[in-house]
Each structure stands twice: as C-alpha cells, then as structure tokens.
Amino acid sequence: MPANFDALANAIEQSEKDLLSRWIAALTAVGATRSGQTSDKDLKDACGRFLKELRRALQNGASEDIASEQWQDARDVLEEISAARALRGYSPVETALFVFSLKEPLFDLLRQTLAREKHMADVLVASGALLDRLGLFTTEVYQKSREEVIKRQQDELLELSTPVIQLWDKILALPLIGTLDSARTQIVMENLLQTIVDAGAEIAIIDITGVPAVDTLVAQHLIKTVAAARLMGADCIISGIRPQIAQTIVHLGLDLQVVSKATMADALSLALKKTGQKVERLAARG
Amino acid sequence: MDKIPILKVGKCLLVTIQIDMHDRLAMALQDDLTNAIVTSRAKGVLIDVSALEIVDSFIGRMLSNIASASRVLDAVTIVVGMRPHVAITLVELGVQLSGIQTARNVDKGLETISRLIEQSESTDAYGDD
Amino acid sequence: MLTETIETVPIRSSEDIVRVRQKVRFQAGAMGMSLIDQTKFITAASEIARNTFEYGGGGELVMETLRDGARRGLRLTFLDEGPGIADIEQAMRDHFTTGGGLGLGLGGAKRLVNEFDIESRPGEGTRISLIRWK
C-alpha cells in the first residue's frame, strides 16, 4: 500500500503546479466555485494548500486511514474549507466536489507518469479510494457545520420570540405566540423571571392568546413559572386562554391553580388594582 | 460556631442569610428564631435570602418550619429577595414553600408584613368587642 | 467518551456538604455552565451529599470531567459503604423519607440533572452518579 502512495506522492511533487491549474479548471467547469461566491484567489489558495498537505502527508508515509496523525494538517485544511462553504450556503454536493474534482486531473497525471509501470492500476485504485475518503470527510464536516448554524439560529430565534414587555409600572406582560416546546418554554420562563428582578415588577401577565395548543408538558411549565415567580415575591396572571385550550386543560385533569382572565385587558385591570394603581378617563373630554 | 444574627426592627425580626449555611447552622437559626419570637414578642419575621446562591430541600424545610412555628406563635413569616435561578431550581426540586409569604425585596417585605400585622390586630380587636 | 478525574472530596460532616457545593460550583463555573444549570447541579449535589452523610454514614464524592465529541460535562459519583437502599424505586418517589426530611432528595435530584444512576445493595452501600452536560 505505501508503495502505491509513494508513486502518487512523486507524481504530485513533479507536476504540482500543472495539477493545481487543471484541478481549478475542473472545479470551475462543474460550477463548484458558485460563480463568484468564492473568489478565484481564494479558490486557488485553498486548492494549493490542500494539494501541499496531501503531498506532505503521503511523503510522511501516511496510510489510507485518514483519521491518523499524519493526515492532521490535510484534515485541518479540508475542515476549514468545508466549514466556510457550509456558512456560505453551498450545497453538500458542491462541497464534496471540491475533493472529487481532483480525481480526473490526478488520474490523467498518473496515467502519464506511470504509463509503463505494471502497478499503475493498483495506484489508480488506491488513489481513488483515498480521494473518496477525503471527499466524504468534507461532507461530514459540512454536515456538522450546518448543524451548528441551525443550532445557533434556533437559539437566536428562541431569544427573539420571547419578548417581555413592561406594560405599566410594576407590571410586565409576556405575550406568547406559536407552539411552545420544552426548550422554548424554559427560556421563556428564565427570561420572564430575570426581567421581574431587573424591572422590579410585582405582577407578570402571561398571555397565551397566540398559543395554538397546550399539552400536559406546556401546562406544567406554565405552572412551574407561576410557582417560581411566587417564590420570588411576584404574582402571575394568565390571560387569553381560548375555549379549546380551556377544554383541553379540563380534559387533561390539570388544575392550573393560577389566576386567569379572559383577555389581556381584564388581566391588566386586575394587575392595576392589585398594585394600587388606576387609569381614569379625563373628565373634560366627555 | 458561626451564628446568623437576628435583628429586631419595630415589631419585626429581621434575618439576612449571607453565607452558605451548613445543616447544623440552619437548625440553630431555626431554634434561635423561634426563641426570639417569644422573648421579643415579635409579630413578624422577615428572612432575606437575596444573597443565597442555592436553596436545597433542607434549607427549604427550615424556611417552612420557621413559618409554621411562627404561625403558632402568632407571627407572620415572609421570605424576600429570592433570585430567579434559585426559585426555578426549588420548583424543579419539588419544594413549594406553600404557606410562606414572599416579597421582591426587604422594602416590599416590610410593607407587606406591617399590613398583615395590622390586619391581624384589627381582627383581634374586633374579636375583643 | 473521555473521562478525567479532577478530585475526590470526603463527606464526613455537615460542613463537608458545604464543601461539596463549593467544589461543584467551582468546576461547573470553570466549564462555563449557565447560572441556572450550575444552580440545578449544585442543588442536586447537595441533596445527594446529604444522603451520603445522613443515611450512608459518610463516604466520598469523585468528580470527573467528561468529553463526548463536542459535548462536555461533569460527573459526580457519590459512594458510601452504609446500609444501602432495599427498595430503590420506593426511595426515588417524592415524599418518601426514612429521616425527617421532605423526602425530595433522590427524586428531586434526578429532576435537576441530565443523567442519574443509582446502584445499591442492602449491607453493601450505595453508589449514585449525576451527570450534567454543558
């Protein structure tokens, strides 16, 4: 096996420049550069670095096991390239093509240099298998990077979707909109409780008009939030419980043990009363 | 052994827990407070937990016990300043502290406590008629 | 999964339970756990440490850092050679207590961590491990 890679390493070393330009041409031909998304210079730079690390790994006697120590630098280059492509919105195919496009020019080169050698076929097979592994490695990294992007977007969305509003002096409102899952409800809960401290609030109105469904878990989260707020010395009022949700709650046999009001307006008027505040119509306007 | 100081302010006993208490210290505080309610004829107990980073079931039980004992001795107990992460953890742990009054901070707590004392005194006065 | 033992903390007195809380706080903080996760983990550790001290007749805590791919976590293993627990299922239930407590220790601690594992045999002691992932 190492003998096959020696031949490969020698071939790359002898015509590295030529191979590089053919590889870039191949990449451009299959559209893997995504018309301008990656500049020619960046592409050339990336290809050049990978080719160099590929050659060095082979010269250091690396085996076909690309997880081994000798492949570290080459893997680093591929990781960087795949991650960058994942962030820029390349497809997995476009990312994998980075390595796979090297096959054709490399095989051409091997055919020329090893034309009279008996083991040419072996070298070609071994090289093909190696490039397949490296190509799959890029898709794996790509996948991981995409997952990170999705995770980060989810986190951002979670923060965006749970605004706590200062409605009045000492009164906060938390309008919940959309489906509540465990992760989101937990963030909502922490966010609300922290804001109660920061704003010195006494009452928080949790409005669930925009929540399409309430299951046992969500109801439990709501109950926990109310209980935690109470421990901190603040009261909660739940408003906007729609008829279907009220029925679900009864059907699930849940006892919310919470003050609830039909609308946010009702909840606000109760909150004002509880905090000793009043809103009046100006007499002169009548 | 350390001791948690108990201050008397008007008709109220004021306790600020500022250290991570070990269990014997918590038990000692419970005893000291119950004794102090009797000797000082206090009508209210205010416990400030705003400096506490955690409240586990043991401290939770201590707070409940203090509240129950003071109720028997005709005093109201109020716990103030619990921080959000402590409150969430307690709820998750299953500690409800039902029967304990709470308030956001010492100011609000004193306000609530004097209102409660007034209420109980006026019902007493009504009962005397 | 890679594990690395950080230190072993003896649990012989009620002051040691406070020390357990402080050590766990330090490690959880160093790992960058959020305040709420730290608090949950420290509280769970406090419950189990008390269990080790009160019912296990004392023992020790072994703290380990875990690394599983990109995930990092903290594992606390509480060991004692006390009387052991005959009926684990019953002991895990809320409001079950043999002492004078609220009986929320084991079940409550389980709700505060990501992974909870208990092994116990009457007469041979108890081993409880808690894991919180970052």
Tab-separated table of all heavy atoms in Angstrom, chain A residues 34-74:
chain	number	residue	atom	x	y	z
A	34	ARG	N	-19.337	28.299	-7.613
A	34	ARG	CA	-20.572	29.045	-7.396
A	34	ARG	C	-20.474	30.475	-7.897
A	34	ARG	O	-20.746	31.423	-7.165
A	34	ARG	CB	-20.900	29.089	-5.909
A	34	ARG	CG	-21.802	27.968	-5.497
A	34	ARG	CD	-22.781	28.533	-4.542
A	34	ARG	NE	-23.920	27.673	-4.396
A	34	ARG	CZ	-24.930	27.974	-3.599
A	34	ARG	NH1	-24.911	29.092	-2.913
A	34	ARG	NH2	-25.948	27.191	-3.512
A	35	SER	N	-20.075	30.586	-9.160
A	35	SER	CA	-19.974	31.864	-9.865
A	35	SER	C	-19.708	33.053	-8.948
A	35	SER	O	-20.601	33.833	-8.629
A	35	SER	CB	-21.253	32.124	-10.678
A	35	SER	OG	-22.378	31.963	-9.862
A	36	GLY	N	-18.472	33.143	-8.534
A	36	GLY	CA	-18.068	34.353	-7.829
A	36	GLY	C	-18.217	34.337	-6.323
A	36	GLY	O	-17.675	35.188	-5.651
A	37	GLN	N	-18.971	33.359	-5.776
A	37	GLN	CA	-19.124	33.325	-4.308
A	37	GLN	C	-17.774	33.096	-3.631
A	37	GLN	O	-17.532	33.576	-2.537
A	37	GLN	CB	-20.099	32.219	-3.904
A	37	GLN	CG	-21.526	32.680	-3.998
A	37	GLN	CD	-22.269	32.372	-2.739
A	37	GLN	OE1	-21.694	32.295	-1.668
A	37	GLN	NE2	-23.563	32.203	-2.853
A	38	THR	N	-16.958	32.279	-4.284
A	38	THR	CA	-15.589	32.126	-3.807
A	38	THR	C	-14.703	32.757	-4.867
A	38	THR	O	-14.815	32.421	-6.044
A	38	THR	CB	-15.229	30.636	-3.667
A	38	THR	OG1	-16.174	30.024	-2.810
A	38	THR	CG2	-13.838	30.464	-3.095
A	39	SER	N	-13.859	33.700	-4.469
A	39	SER	CA	-13.047	34.396	-5.460
A	39	SER	C	-11.991	33.441	-6.013
A	39	SER	O	-11.628	32.453	-5.371
A	39	SER	CB	-12.377	35.615	-4.839
A	39	SER	OG	-11.346	35.188	-3.982
A	40	ASP	N	-11.514	33.763	-7.239
A	40	ASP	CA	-10.500	32.916	-7.871
A	40	ASP	C	-9.289	32.759	-6.977
A	40	ASP	O	-8.701	31.692	-6.872
A	40	ASP	CB	-10.076	33.531	-9.221
A	40	ASP	CG	-11.220	33.441	-10.226
A	40	ASP	OD1	-12.227	32.770	-9.889
A	40	ASP	OD2	-11.106	34.041	-11.306
A	41	LYS	N	-8.972	33.857	-6.293
A	41	LYS	CA	-7.771	33.842	-5.468
A	41	LYS	C	-7.945	32.882	-4.285
A	41	LYS	O	-7.059	32.078	-3.998
A	41	LYS	CB	-7.491	35.260	-4.955
A	41	LYS	CG	-6.106	35.408	-4.360
A	41	LYS	CD	-5.909	36.802	-3.797
A	41	LYS	CE	-4.933	36.783	-2.639
A	41	LYS	NZ	-5.416	36.056	-1.487
A	42	ASP	N	-9.121	32.986	-3.648
A	42	ASP	CA	-9.399	32.109	-2.501
A	42	ASP	C	-9.373	30.648	-2.921
A	42	ASP	O	-8.834	29.799	-2.224
A	42	ASP	CB	-10.777	32.421	-1.900
A	42	ASP	CG	-10.755	33.705	-1.094
A	42	ASP	OD1	-9.633	34.231	-0.887
A	42	ASP	OD2	-11.825	34.173	-0.675
A	43	LEU	N	-9.972	30.387	-4.091
A	43	LEU	CA	-10.058	29.014	-4.565
A	43	LEU	C	-8.658	28.468	-4.831
A	43	LEU	O	-8.310	27.375	-4.414
A	43	LEU	CB	-10.900	28.961	-5.851
A	43	LEU	CG	-11.134	27.549	-6.393
A	43	LEU	CD1	-12.037	26.773	-5.462
A	43	LEU	CD2	-11.715	27.598	-7.797
A	44	LYS	N	-7.859	29.306	-5.497
A	44	LYS	CA	-6.507	28.886	-5.831
A	44	LYS	C	-5.720	28.617	-4.546
A	44	LYS	O	-4.991	27.632	-4.432
A	44	LYS	CB	-5.823	29.994	-6.664
A	44	LYS	CG	-4.626	29.468	-7.409
A	44	LYS	CD	-4.003	30.542	-8.296
A	44	LYS	CE	-2.629	30.045	-8.732
A	44	LYS	NZ	-1.844	31.091	-9.370
A	45	ASP	N	-5.919	29.507	-3.613
A	45	ASP	CA	-5.233	29.406	-2.321
A	45	ASP	C	-5.623	28.091	-1.619
A	45	ASP	O	-4.775	27.345	-1.152
A	45	ASP	CB	-5.630	30.618	-1.469
A	45	ASP	CG	-4.959	30.600	-0.119
A	45	ASP	OD1	-3.724	30.501	-0.092
A	45	ASP	OD2	-5.683	30.657	0.898
A	46	ALA	N	-6.957	27.835	-1.569
A	46	ALA	CA	-7.457	26.631	-0.885
A	46	ALA	C	-6.931	25.367	-1.556
A	46	ALA	O	-6.433	24.454	-0.890
A	46	ALA	CB	-8.984	26.637	-0.878
A	47	CYS	N	-7.020	25.333	-2.897
A	47	CYS	CA	-6.564	24.153	-3.639
A	47	CYS	C	-5.075	23.937	-3.417
A	47	CYS	O	-4.627	22.812	-3.191
A	47	CYS	CB	-6.831	24.321	-5.142
A	47	CYS	SG	-8.579	24.324	-5.530
A	48	GLY	N	-4.323	25.042	-3.489
A	48	GLY	CA	-2.866	24.956	-3.335
A	48	GLY	C	-2.504	24.381	-1.976
A	48	GLY	O	-1.637	23.508	-1.860
A	49	ARG	N	-3.181	24.859	-0.945
A	49	ARG	CA	-2.867	24.408	0.417
A	49	ARG	C	-3.201	22.928	0.592
A	49	ARG	O	-2.436	22.172	1.178
A	49	ARG	CB	-3.631	25.251	1.444
A	49	ARG	CG	-2.883	26.524	1.800
A	49	ARG	CD	-3.783	27.509	2.488
A	49	ARG	NE	-4.359	26.971	3.708
A	49	ARG	CZ	-5.557	27.336	4.165
A	49	ARG	NH1	-6.299	28.192	3.495
A	49	ARG	NH2	-6.006	26.829	5.282
A	50	PHE	N	-4.360	22.535	0.037
A	50	PHE	CA	-4.748	21.144	0.216
A	50	PHE	C	-3.773	20.209	-0.516
A	50	PHE	O	-3.342	19.190	0.021
A	50	PHE	CB	-6.175	20.897	-0.272
A	50	PHE	CG	-6.542	19.444	-0.233
A	50	PHE	CD1	-6.647	18.788	0.992
A	50	PHE	CD2	-6.743	18.720	-1.391
A	50	PHE	CE1	-6.942	17.431	1.047
A	50	PHE	CE2	-7.046	17.366	-1.346
A	50	PHE	CZ	-7.144	16.731	-0.126
A	51	LEU	N	-3.421	20.624	-1.745
A	51	LEU	CA	-2.517	19.790	-2.532
A	51	LEU	C	-1.182	19.620	-1.807
A	51	LEU	O	-0.595	18.538	-1.770
A	51	LEU	CB	-2.303	20.461	-3.905
A	51	LEU	CG	-2.162	19.531	-5.111
A	51	LEU	CD1	-3.260	18.493	-5.127
A	51	LEU	CD2	-2.179	20.350	-6.391
A	52	LYS	N	-0.712	20.716	-1.206
A	52	LYS	CA	0.559	20.692	-0.487
A	52	LYS	C	0.474	19.722	0.699
A	52	LYS	O	1.358	18.901	0.922
A	52	LYS	CB	0.880	22.107	0.020
A	52	LYS	CG	2.311	22.243	0.520
A	52	LYS	CD	2.596	23.676	0.966
A	52	LYS	CE	2.927	23.690	2.437
A	52	LYS	NZ	2.510	24.888	3.123
A	53	GLU	N	-0.639	19.836	1.462
A	53	GLU	CA	-0.782	18.977	2.648
A	53	GLU	C	-0.976	17.512	2.238
A	53	GLU	O	-0.508	16.614	2.924
A	53	GLU	CB	-1.943	19.444	3.531
A	53	GLU	CG	-1.746	20.820	4.168
A	53	GLU	CD	-0.449	20.931	4.970
A	53	GLU	OE1	0.096	19.880	5.372
A	53	GLU	OE2	0.008	22.064	5.177
A	54	LEU	N	-1.678	17.314	1.121
A	54	LEU	CA	-1.885	15.951	0.618
A	54	LEU	C	-0.531	15.316	0.296
A	54	LEU	O	-0.227	14.208	0.714
A	54	LEU	CB	-2.772	15.993	-0.638
A	54	LEU	CG	-2.975	14.677	-1.386
A	54	LEU	CD1	-3.751	13.686	-0.542
A	54	LEU	CD2	-3.720	14.908	-2.708
A	55	ARG	N	0.285	16.083	-0.424
A	55	ARG	CA	1.613	15.579	-0.813
A	55	ARG	C	2.456	15.313	0.435
A	55	ARG	O	3.095	14.269	0.570
A	55	ARG	CB	2.313	16.599	-1.726
A	55	ARG	CG	3.783	16.277	-1.976
A	55	ARG	CD	4.444	17.232	-2.942
A	55	ARG	NE	4.317	18.634	-2.573
A	55	ARG	CZ	5.039	19.228	-1.617
A	55	ARG	NH1	5.889	18.534	-0.894
A	55	ARG	NH2	4.883	20.513	-1.375
A	56	ARG	N	2.426	16.258	1.393
A	56	ARG	CA	3.265	16.096	2.593
A	56	ARG	C	2.853	14.882	3.411
A	56	ARG	O	3.692	14.153	3.922
A	56	ARG	CB	3.205	17.368	3.446
A	56	ARG	CG	4.158	18.411	2.903
A	56	ARG	CD	4.211	19.659	3.740
A	56	ARG	NE	4.150	19.408	5.183
A	56	ARG	CZ	3.915	20.352	6.064
A	56	ARG	NH1	3.716	21.599	5.659
A	56	ARG	NH2	3.875	20.075	7.341
A	57	ALA	N	1.545	14.688	3.510
A	57	ALA	CA	1.069	13.532	4.271
A	57	ALA	C	1.556	12.244	3.632
A	57	ALA	O	2.056	11.343	4.305
A	57	ALA	CB	-0.458	13.550	4.341
A	58	LEU	N	1.461	12.195	2.277
A	58	LEU	CA	1.888	10.981	1.564
A	58	LEU	C	3.382	10.773	1.713
A	58	LEU	O	3.859	9.658	1.911
A	58	LEU	CB	1.505	11.095	0.087
A	58	LEU	CG	0.001	11.091	-0.200
A	58	LEU	CD1	-0.273	11.475	-1.654
A	58	LEU	CD2	-0.599	9.730	0.110
A	59	GLN	N	4.125	11.879	1.654
A	59	GLN	CA	5.582	11.768	1.786
A	59	GLN	C	5.993	11.324	3.189
A	59	GLN	O	7.023	10.698	3.372
A	59	GLN	CB	6.248	13.105	1.431
A	59	GLN	CG	6.263	13.347	-0.067
A	59	GLN	CD	6.711	14.744	-0.415
A	59	GLN	OE1	6.647	15.653	0.407
A	59	GLN	NE2	7.166	14.928	-1.650
A	60	ASN	N	5.148	11.666	4.169
A	60	ASN	CA	5.447	11.242	5.540
A	60	ASN	C	5.013	9.809	5.799
A	60	ASN	O	4.996	9.362	6.942
A	60	ASN	CB	4.751	12.169	6.547
A	60	ASN	CG	5.398	13.539	6.595
A	60	ASN	OD1	6.573	13.672	6.246
A	60	ASN	ND2	4.646	14.534	6.993
A	61	GLY	N	4.594	9.137	4.737
A	61	GLY	CA	4.239	7.725	4.871
A	61	GLY	C	2.861	7.470	5.436
A	61	GLY	O	2.625	6.467	6.094
A	62	ALA	N	1.930	8.428	5.163
A	62	ALA	CA	0.581	8.246	5.693
A	62	ALA	C	-0.094	7.043	5.039
A	62	ALA	O	0.155	6.738	3.874
A	62	ALA	CB	-0.255	9.496	5.438
A	63	SER	N	-0.948	6.367	5.798
A	63	SER	CA	-1.691	5.234	5.256
A	63	SER	C	-3.036	5.728	4.725
A	63	SER	O	-3.291	6.932	4.697
A	63	SER	CB	-1.917	4.194	6.345
A	63	SER	OG	-2.813	4.717	7.292
A	64	GLU	N	-3.892	4.783	4.303
A	64	GLU	CA	-5.195	5.205	3.777
A	64	GLU	C	-6.159	5.591	4.907
A	64	GLU	O	-7.261	6.047	4.662
A	64	GLU	CB	-5.803	4.103	2.894
A	64	GLU	CG	-6.348	2.883	3.633
A	64	GLU	CD	-5.256	1.888	4.019
A	64	GLU	OE1	-4.069	2.207	3.822
A	64	GLU	OE2	-5.592	0.809	4.527
A	65	ASP	N	-5.706	5.405	6.163
A	65	ASP	CA	-6.554	5.766	7.300
A	65	ASP	C	-6.457	7.271	7.547
A	65	ASP	O	-5.522	7.749	8.193
A	65	ASP	CB	-6.087	4.996	8.542
A	65	ASP	CG	-6.810	5.453	9.801
A	65	ASP	OD1	-7.895	6.070	9.659
A	65	ASP	OD2	-6.290	5.207	10.897
A	66	ILE	N	-7.425	8.024	7.012
A	66	ILE	CA	-7.299	9.482	7.065
A	66	ILE	C	-7.564	10.049	8.447
A	66	ILE	O	-7.452	11.239	8.680
A	66	ILE	CB	-8.221	10.182	6.030
A	66	ILE	CG1	-9.691	9.884	6.336
A	66	ILE	CG2	-7.860	9.806	4.620
A	66	ILE	CD1	-10.624	10.892	5.708
A	67	ALA	N	-7.925	9.177	9.418
A	67	ALA	CA	-8.109	9.660	10.779
A	67	ALA	C	-6.780	9.699	11.530
A	67	ALA	O	-6.705	10.183	12.649
A	67	ALA	CB	-9.107	8.778	11.521
A	68	SER	N	-5.710	9.184	10.886
A	68	SER	CA	-4.427	9.070	11.596
A	68	SER	C	-3.707	10.422	11.709
A	68	SER	O	-4.058	11.394	11.045
A	68	SER	CB	-3.533	8.054	10.890
A	68	SER	OG	-3.177	8.543	9.625
A	69	GLU	N	-2.689	10.393	12.549
A	69	GLU	CA	-1.906	11.588	12.886
A	69	GLU	C	-1.363	12.309	11.646
A	69	GLU	O	-1.453	13.527	11.520
A	69	GLU	CB	-0.751	11.143	13.798
A	69	GLU	CG	0.102	12.265	14.351
A	69	GLU	CD	-0.622	13.037	15.431
A	69	GLU	OE1	-1.564	12.484	16.055
A	69	GLU	OE2	-0.255	14.198	15.635
A	70	GLN	N	-0.802	11.508	10.677
A	70	GLN	CA	-0.150	12.134	9.520
A	70	GLN	C	-1.104	12.975	8.676
A	70	GLN	O	-0.683	13.855	7.940
A	70	GLN	CB	0.484	11.064	8.609
A	70	GLN	CG	1.704	10.408	9.187
A	70	GLN	CD	1.380	9.009	9.675
A	70	GLN	OE1	0.298	8.768	10.207
A	70	GLN	NE2	2.309	8.077	9.491
A	71	TRP	N	-2.376	12.687	8.776
A	71	TRP	CA	-3.357	13.420	7.957
A	71	TRP	C	-3.875	14.674	8.637
A	71	TRP	O	-4.697	15.409	8.088
A	71	TRP	CB	-4.537	12.508	7.598
A	71	TRP	CG	-4.195	11.502	6.548
A	71	TRP	CD1	-4.031	10.168	6.716
A	71	TRP	CD2	-3.969	11.761	5.157
A	71	TRP	NE1	-3.706	9.559	5.532
A	71	TRP	CE2	-3.666	10.523	4.547
A	71	TRP	CE3	-3.981	12.909	4.376
A	71	TRP	CZ2	-3.384	10.413	3.197
A	71	TRP	CZ3	-3.705	12.791	3.026
A	71	TRP	CH2	-3.403	11.552	2.444
A	72	GLN	N	-3.441	14.922	9.865
A	72	GLN	CA	-3.950	16.044	10.664
A	72	GLN	C	-4.005	17.367	9.884
A	72	GLN	O	-5.050	18.001	9.788
A	72	GLN	CB	-3.092	16.216	11.928
A	72	GLN	CG	-3.540	17.349	12.863
A	72	GLN	CD	-4.872	17.051	13.514
A	72	GLN	OE1	-5.091	15.971	14.056
A	72	GLN	NE2	-5.799	17.999	13.443
A	73	ASP	N	-2.859	17.755	9.277
A	73	ASP	CA	-2.803	19.061	8.598
A	73	ASP	C	-3.746	19.103	7.402
A	73	ASP	O	-4.432	20.099	7.165
A	73	ASP	CB	-1.369	19.359	8.148
A	73	ASP	CG	-0.467	19.613	9.364
A	73	ASP	OD1	-1.019	19.988	10.427
A	73	ASP	OD2	0.756	19.425	9.244
A	74	ALA	N	-3.782	17.987	6.646
A	74	ALA	CA	-4.659	17.938	5.485
A	74	ALA	C	-6.125	18.034	5.928
A	74	ALA	O	-6.936	18.739	5.312
A	74	ALA	CB	-4.429	16.643	4.711
